[in-house]
Amino acid sequence: MSYVFQVVGGVAPLFQVLLLRAVVDGLIEGRTGTAQAFGQIAGMAGLGLLGVWSTWAASVTATAAAGLVIADLRSAMFRRLTTMPIHFYTTVRPGAVVSRLTNDVNGAEEMYTSVIPVVVSSVTTIATSLVIVAFIDPRLVLLLVVIPVAIAYVRKAEARINELIAKSFDVVKELSSTAETFVSRDGAVLARQNGQTAREQATFQERSAALAGLSTGISRAAATSGASYGTAFVLITAGALAMGVWLVTEQDVTVGSVILIVLYLQQLQAPVQRLLNTRYPRMRSSIALDRVEAVLATEPERDRAARAPATGTADGPTADADDGGTAPAPALRTRDLRFRYPAVSSYSIEGLSHAGDALSIPWLPLVGLSGDDGARAEAGVRVEADALDGIDLTVGRGEVVAVVGTSGAGKSTLATVIAGLVDADSGVVEVDGRPLADLDEKQRAGLIAYIPQDPYVLHASVRENLRYARPDATDEELLAVCEQVALGDLVRGLDDGLDAVIGEKGHRLSGGERQRLAIARAALRRPALVVLDEPTAHLDTATEQRVRAAMATLFAGAGVVMIAHRLSTVRDADRIVVLEHGRVAQEGPHDELAAVADGGYRRLLDAGAMGRE
């Protein structure tokens, strides 16, 4: 519908000129009376109003349609970005992602609100003008062929403008990344601790000045192009008028026809100018659409939603087939589990990811970049190795298993795989007797709770953070679980209690309080398997003992797998699994493993890798 309004809005003024030609020629030749002339003038006014309100309707409908398209694009991008392989998030800076979701999508909006409507209206106006002029007198078309001269005259500046626009996108991305990184608590602390605040301010100012320079350059080039175009059209109009006078005196063309052609030239100046001006927004929106398409075309994490669960439901235990369907299945069972980190290029997005310069996430080592978890980099070349190499592990319900090993042994990789964050290359992972590969994200979340060493806390209230795991939890349940993990005093001490907002990434809380909040959040889900990565790393001894006792109660019916380094945490586990180079090297209780003089566990103890009790 918008295109129809655009066509009507562009054509109506042209028929105004036709009526004006009829009025002028009729009055000069004495064929038109006063009443008829006034009628024609009224018709001109009606056509003018039709053009104005059609243009208004076109603008309104185009904006509404563009809003829907852009909303769909932004939602599609968000869906794609939130379903990328978990390793992808180590290759991007937050500011770049925010810029892609906002600036690039907004930049693409110009294509639908400005470029396409203007092209439709302008092309219709130019084409209709040619048809009308040719119908009146084909010789007059010769006067319109000079328009391409004006177009050719200004196209020379476009290459420079396009280059400046492309550069401005890159500078905006860097500005966004710098602001996202250092206008935050962690970034500010990093800069101040290293005395780099002034340097970061200077860098931002330099990039801001560069962006201002690019904007000035684009504006100057566009203004020069517009002035050159205007000059060319003034000369073209003067030449057309001179040629029209000659045609009137020598070729029997009416005065009204000459006025028509001159007015058409004047009216064509605007659509031709608009058509030329779309070059710059079209360039910007095309670049933005290309960057949006780069995200949408990327392969997401393989879809689990269409898979049917193997057996049972996510809300209750299943029976173990090996026991005739009567005994509960173990919380976790893995068989010949293997995993190798893919190349960074396989999960990065061109122009968005910093492939080869991935960021560090403590619980997600990057093989080939950090040299962690079984793979190593030699002379910048990735040396392939399995981060997990044939892991067989069973964890019963109510059993606590501690996983230990040196850096790079595969501990964090094992945690992410059994937590369902990363799919194994081969082998089987069963949680509560159900193959993990057969479960969608919601079903996995119903069975598994994963608590990293540095848990993420929402910029929201305590209540919202806890209910993120279980929206139907009552306030009584929230307060009870807070008491169990030693957060009761904290909640009572907050002015708004459960409604207190705890700051971006939980910065109003200490590291230990964030960990306890994450444990409470996990406990509300009543999972079958709990995977903890250093769950008490930020706790003092007294609080650790209290939290460990609480976890024993909260997760009594679940299997617990802990990545641990504290001896106090490890020795109380029912079983200890020692990983070396992605394989299970030892397995057993603390006293038994510690007694093996040449065992890997004994070496960890002797080296002080398990810390102090």
Side-chain angles (χ1 to χ4, degrees):
M1 184 59 70
S2 172
Y3 296 152
V4 174
F5 288 131
Q6 289 287 353
V7 170
V8 173
V11 170
L14 300 180
F15 286 97
Q16 274 187 300
V17 178
L18 273 177
L19 285 176
L20 177 62
R21 170 180 173 269
V23 171
V24 171
D25 285 343
L27 291 174
I28 291 176
E29 298 171 5
R31 294 184 287 102
T32 302
T34 303
Q36 184 179 0
F38 281 134
Q40 291 170 331
I41 292 172
M44 291 172 58
L47 286 171
L49 291 173
L50 177 63
V52 169
W53 287 103
S54 294
T55 301
W56 172 85
S59 176
V60 171
T61 54
T63 301
L68 294 175
V69 171
I70 294 304
D72 288 342
L73 274 180
R74 185 176 287 113
S75 296
M77 281 187 67
F78 186 79
R79 286 193 299 270
R80 182 54 49 85
L81 288 169
T82 53
T83 54
M84 290 294 290
I86 202 71
H87 316 299
F88 160 77
Y89 305 105
T90 67
T91 71
V92 293
R93 299 176 68 180
V97 175
V98 172
S99 176
R100 190 65 61 99
L101 273 171
T102 54
N103 295 337
D104 289 352
V105 175
N106 291 339
E109 187 173 7
E110 276 190 299
M111 181 67 76
Y112 303 99
T113 58
S114 301
V115 176
I116 294 177
V118 166
V119 169
V120 171
S121 175
S122 300
V123 169
T124 300
T125 301
I126 294 170
T128 305
S129 297
L130 290 173
V131 171
I132 292 175
V133 172
F135 178 77
I136 294 172
D137 192 327
R139 294 173 299 178
L140 297 176
V141 176
L142 296 175
L143 297 176
L144 298 179
V145 299
V146 294
I147 294 177
V149 176
I151 297 175
Y153 187 79
V154 298
R155 285 180 64 90
K156 295 181 180 179
E158 290 181 354
R160 175 60 178 165
I161 294 175
N162 294 345
E163 178 186 347
L164 294 175
I165 291 174
K167 287 182 178 179
S168 70
F169 270 90
D170 292 332
V171 175
V172 168
K173 183 181 74 173
E174 293 299 325
L175 272 177
S176 299
S177 292
T178 300
E180 183 77 18
T181 300
F182 293 101
V183 185
S184 66
R185 179 183 180 278
D186 290 339
V189 169
L190 174 66
R192 293 177 190 182
Q193 282 182 332
N194 292 276
Q196 298 295 342
T197 300
R199 192 190 74 172
E200 296 302 336
Q201 291 172 344
T203 299
F204 187 88
Q205 184 175 358
E206 180 182 340
R207 289 172 178 168
S208 182
L211 182 61
L214 289 170
S215 299
T216 301
I218 293 171
S219 299
R220 183 186 299 113
T224 301
S225 175
S228 301
Y229 170 80
T231 300
F233 235 101
V234 168
L235 297 177
I236 290 171
T237 302
L241 184 59
M243 185 174 181
V245 172
W246 177 78
L247 287 174
V248 169
T249 57
E250 301 293 337
Q251 301 293 326
D252 194 27
V253 174
T254 67
V255 173
S257 296
V258 174
I259 294 175
L260 178 143
I261 195 64
V262 171
L263 289 178
Y264 271 5
L265 279 173
Q266 291 292 324
Q267 287 196 346
L268 285 176
Q269 182 175 0
V272 172
Q273 179 74 69
R274 289 197 300 269
L275 200 58
L276 288 172
N277 288 346
T278 62
R279 181 72 175 175
Y280 316 129
R282 180 155 51 91
M283 176 66 179
R284 289 193 297 269
S285 57
S286 294
I287 292 174
L289 281 171
D290 287 344
R291 291 155 69 93
V292 170
E293 179 60 28
V295 173
L296 298 179
T298 305
E299 190 70 25
E301 187 76 280
R302 57 196 185 95
D303 185 15
R304 305 186 186 108
R307 305 175 203 165
T311 55
T313 67
D315 298 322
T318 60
D320 191 340
D322 293 339
D323 293 312
T326 58
L332 171 70
R333 177 188 291 147
T334 71
R335 295 194 295 272
D336 195 28
L337 187 62
R338 297 179 185 276
F339 177 78
R340 175 177 295 181
Y341 281 92
V344 176
S345 58
S346 68
Y347 52 79
S348 60
I349 297 178
E350 184 178 358
L352 179 61
S353 299
H354 296 267
D357 186 26
L359 304 179
S360 172
I361 294 181
W363 52 268
L364 185 61
L366 278 181
V367 174
L369 297 178
S370 64
D372 205 358
D373 272 10
R376 60 192 185 279
E378 295 179 359
V381 179
R382 175 187 167 86
V383 179
E384 298 293 345
D386 285 339
L388 300 178
D389 189 6
I391 299 288
D392 292 323
L393 178 64
T394 299
V395 179
R397 283 185 166 274
E399 184 179 19
V400 177
V401 174
V403 179
V404 301
T406 59
S407 177
K411 304 183 299 297
S412 292
T413 301
L414 177 63
T416 56
V417 172
I418 64 176
L421 299 174
V422 176
D423 289 327
D425 294 333
S426 63
V428 176
V429 180
E430 293 180 352
V431 177
D432 195 25
R434 304 167 64 181
L436 210 56
D438 292 341
L439 306 180
D440 62 26
E441 179 183 286
K442 192 172 184 62
Q443 291 167 324
R444 293 186 182 200
L447 290 172
I448 307 166
Y450 175 69
I451 306 173
Q453 181 174 345
D454 294 302
Y456 192 88
V457 178
L458 300 172
H459 182 58
S461 67
V462 176
R463 177 184 285 105
E464 289 173 293
N465 270 279
L466 292 172
R467 283 184 175 168
Y468 193 79
R470 210 183 106 209
D472 62 345
T474 65
D475 283 359
E476 290 72 19
E477 289 176 305
L478 301 184
L479 291 171
V481 76
C482 285
E483 287 290 345
Q484 287 178 291
V485 298
L487 279 178
D489 291 341
L490 171 69
V491 173
R492 284 189 294 271
L494 296 172
D495 292 338
D496 297 319
L498 288 174
D499 292 318
V501 176
I502 52 182
E504 182 68 24
K505 298 181 181 179
H507 285 314
R508 288 183 62 186
L509 306 179
S510 67
E513 289 167 343
R514 288 198 298 272
Q515 278 190 322
R516 281 177 277 162
L517 184 66
I519 293 171
R521 187 163 54 193
L524 286 169
R525 284 161 47 190
R526 295 189 279 272
L529 174 66
V530 182
V531 182
L532 306 107
D533 193 345
E534 281 297 324
T536 58
H538 299 295
L539 306 181
D540 58 64
T541 302
T543 305
E544 178 189 359
Q545 291 175 348
R546 183 177 174 184
V547 170
R548 280 164 50 198
M551 288 196 306
T553 302
L554 292 170
F555 303 132
V560 177
V561 177
M562 291 192 301
I563 309 299
H565 294 95
R566 281 190 180 184
L567 181 57
S568 57
T569 303
V570 171
R571 72 182 305 160
D572 289 338
D574 298 310
R575 187 157 39 102
I576 300 169
V577 173
V578 182
L579 292 186
E580 292 181 357
H581 306 297
R583 302 182 184 93
V584 176
Q586 282 184 294
E587 190 172 355
H590 166 77
D591 292 339
E592 178 183 313
L593 297 182
V596 181
D598 59 347
Y601 187 67
R602 182 73 259 174
R603 289 195 296 272
L604 289 172
L605 292 176
D606 293 341
M610 303 309 300
R612 296 179 179 179
E613 187 171 2

